[in-house]
């Protein structure tokens, strides 16, 4: 019979333990995350796509970016600088949901991107935010997962654009891209082991308890991650989450309501691509949203 004593665990064991169950607020885990899994905001000038690279900027306004950007402008244009978290940050510019907040509104935050190639490009953009080359854990503890990266085959531009060579990036067996899709057929897969961390672990490492805007686009794990968030300890004011599914998940909507959020949307039926959630008790945002096109909906 061996008694486990917290203080006697060697540092090397902590490095192994973060691959499996370990409490998300363990002080030794927080220390490791600070030292090894978070990079500070860049002090260098931005290294964004040149203004003449119009194709990049035009394509970067595709998909649902414009819808999200309009929402953010309505909500945060007259707000003081806040703190954001964007998981699935890509290169920090293409389809970024937080770059405008950082550049135009003076915000800072945390950018999480598990794909190695995307993260390399993210570092080179010199964002004024913290960076983490990890994924968000679907459990309330850190763990390692097999990560799949899709890269468009050399010279194949039938899908994507020159700046978007990454087909998609996702946790193994959690792929929102059907194998029969054109994207799947023209891309090659590579595999790597990636460290996943609970969102609250990353925020504890940064000593942050209020997140003004959380953007989740993590290829099928969004709802799982949100179910692990200790909302009683972290004040997340606005959440934009990509959910790609054919039918509305009423169980998840009920969960978000119980967690203290209301769904804000242009229509009476939630968009199946992006869902917008705002804390019920944030009166300042509630009054603001009632005055614009987005309706304040009781779930």
């Amino acid at each position: 019979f061996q008694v486990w004593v917290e203080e006697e665990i060697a540092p090397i064991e902590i490095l192994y333990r973060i691959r499996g169950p370990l409490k998300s607020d363990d002080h030794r885990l927080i220390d490791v995350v600070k030292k090894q899994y978070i990079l500070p905001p860049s002090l260098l000038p931005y290294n964004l796509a040149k203004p003449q690279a119009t194709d990049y900027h035009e394509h970067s306004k595709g998909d649902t970016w414009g819808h999200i950007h309009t929402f953010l402008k309505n909500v945060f244009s007259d707000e003081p600088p806040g703190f954001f978290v964007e998981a699935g940050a890509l290169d920090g510019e293409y389809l970024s949901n937080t770059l405008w907040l950082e550049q135009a509104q003076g915000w800072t935050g945390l950018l999480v991107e598990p794909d190695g190639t995307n993260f390399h490009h993210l570092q080179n953009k010199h964002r004024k935010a913290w960076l983490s080359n990890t994924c968000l854990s679907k459990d309330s503890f850190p763990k390692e997962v097999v990560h799949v990266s899709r890269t468009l085959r050399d010279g194949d531009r039938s899908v994507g654009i020159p700046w978007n060579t990454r087909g998609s990036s996702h946790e193994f067996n959690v792929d929102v891209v059907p194998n029969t899709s054109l994207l799947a057929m023209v891309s090659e897969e590579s595999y790597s082991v990636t460290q996943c961390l609970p969102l609250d672990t990353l925020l504890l490492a940064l000593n942050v308890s209020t997140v003004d805007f959380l953007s989740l686009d993590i290829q099928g794990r969004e709802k799982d991650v949100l179910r692990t968030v200790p909302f009683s300890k972290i004040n997340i004011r606005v959440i934009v989450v990509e959910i790609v599914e054919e039918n509305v998940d009423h169980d998840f909507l009920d969960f978000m309501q119980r967690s203290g959020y209301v769904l804000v949307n242009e229509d009476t039926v939630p968009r199946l691509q992006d869902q917008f959630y705002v804390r019920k008790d944030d009166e300042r945002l509630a009054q603001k949203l009632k005055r614009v096109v987005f309706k304040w909906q009781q779930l």
Side-chain angles (χ1 to χ4, degrees), residues 13-285:
E13 185 173 344
I14 291 297
L15 295 180
Y16 282 98
R17 288 279 299 279
I18 67 174
R19 300 176 181 179
L22 190 67
K23 291 180 62 177
S24 64
D25 60 354
D26 188 294
H27 67 89
R28 297 155 305 178
L29 169 63
I30 304 302
D31 188 55
V32 170
V33 171
K34 287 179 180 179
K35 295 177 180 177
Q36 298 192 27
Y37 290 100
I38 297 179
L39 297 178
S42 176
L43 299 177
L44 298 174
Y46 282 111
N47 184 33
L48 304 176
K50 296 180 180 179
Q52 58 264 34
T54 54
D55 287 345
Y56 183 98
H57 292 290
E58 288 175 2
H59 281 92
S60 70
K61 303 302 182 286
D63 294 335
T64 59
W65 182 92
H67 185 67
I68 295 173
H69 184 63
T70 298
F71 175 81
L72 294 180
K73 289 181 68 176
N74 280 322
V75 172
F76 291 123
S77 287
D78 58 353
E79 291 269 320
F83 189 92
F84 58 74
V85 174
E86 183 170 12
L90 296 178
D91 70 352
E93 181 177 5
Y94 180 71
L95 296 179
S96 173
N97 290 333
T98 59
L99 182 58
W100 173 78
L101 292 170
E102 184 180 302
Q103 282 192 298
Q105 303 298 105
W107 288 40
T108 189
L110 170 66
L111 301 170
V112 181
E113 174 53 50
D115 182 87
T117 299
N118 284 336
F119 189 77
H120 172 73
H121 293 305
L122 172 59
Q123 285 182 279
N124 288 335
K125 295 295 182 179
H126 302 163
R127 290 284 302 265
K128 314 311 174 192
W130 299 86
L131 310 181
S132 184
N133 187 198
T134 59
C135 55
L136 295 186
S137 177
K138 72 176 184 65
D139 299 294
S140 58
F141 51 83
K143 62 187 296 185
E144 286 188 337
V145 302
V146 175
H147 195 76
V148 183
S149 295
R150 280 199 170 114
T151 308
L152 297 183
R153 295 190 181 100
D154 291 343
D156 196 326
R157 289 291 174 260
S158 57
V159 179
I161 57 175
W163 299 279
N164 187 25
T165 59
R166 312 302 292 186
S168 67
S169 172
H170 59 89
E171 185 177 333
F172 185 68
N173 281 339
V174 188
D175 191 358
V176 298
V177 179
N179 289 330
T180 56
S181 73
L182 180 60
L183 176 59
M185 290 187 286
V186 302
S187 61
E188 296 177 340
E189 292 183 348
S190 60
Y191 302 86
S192 60
V193 176
T194 301
Q195 180 67 56
C196 289
L197 297 166
L199 176 60
D200 60 308
T201 298
L202 288 163
L203 294 176
L204 285 169
L206 294 174
N207 196 29
V208 170
S209 58
T210 294
V211 175
D212 297 279
F213 173 56
L214 170 62
S215 173
L216 288 180
D217 184 355
I218 50 178
Q219 303 300 300
R221 279 298 189 203
E222 293 84 356
K223 291 188 288 186
D224 294 329
V225 165
L226 284 174
R227 291 183 187 278
T228 71
V229 175
F231 288 108
S232 61
K233 298 179 181 178
I234 302 172
N235 174 26
I236 305 178
R237 301 177 66 207
V238 176
I239 301 172
V240 173
V241 53
E242 181 187 67
I243 297 179
V244 181
E245 53 192 19
E246 294 182 0
N247 300 307
V248 175
D249 187 342
H250 291 285
D251 287 340
F252 177 70
L253 296 182
D254 290 342
F255 164 76
M256 292 301 294
Q257 181 185 30
R258 293 194 306 271
S259 299
Y261 289 85
V262 292
L263 178 69
V264 180
N265 210 63
E266 290 176 311
D267 308 307
T268 56
V269 178
R271 288 171 58 92
L272 298 181
Q273 183 75 9
D274 297 296
Q275 294 179 4
F276 302 82
Y277 294 93
V278 177
R279 281 186 65 99
K280 295 178 184 179
D281 58 2
D282 197 316
E283 289 298 326
R284 184 168 57 181
L285 293 183

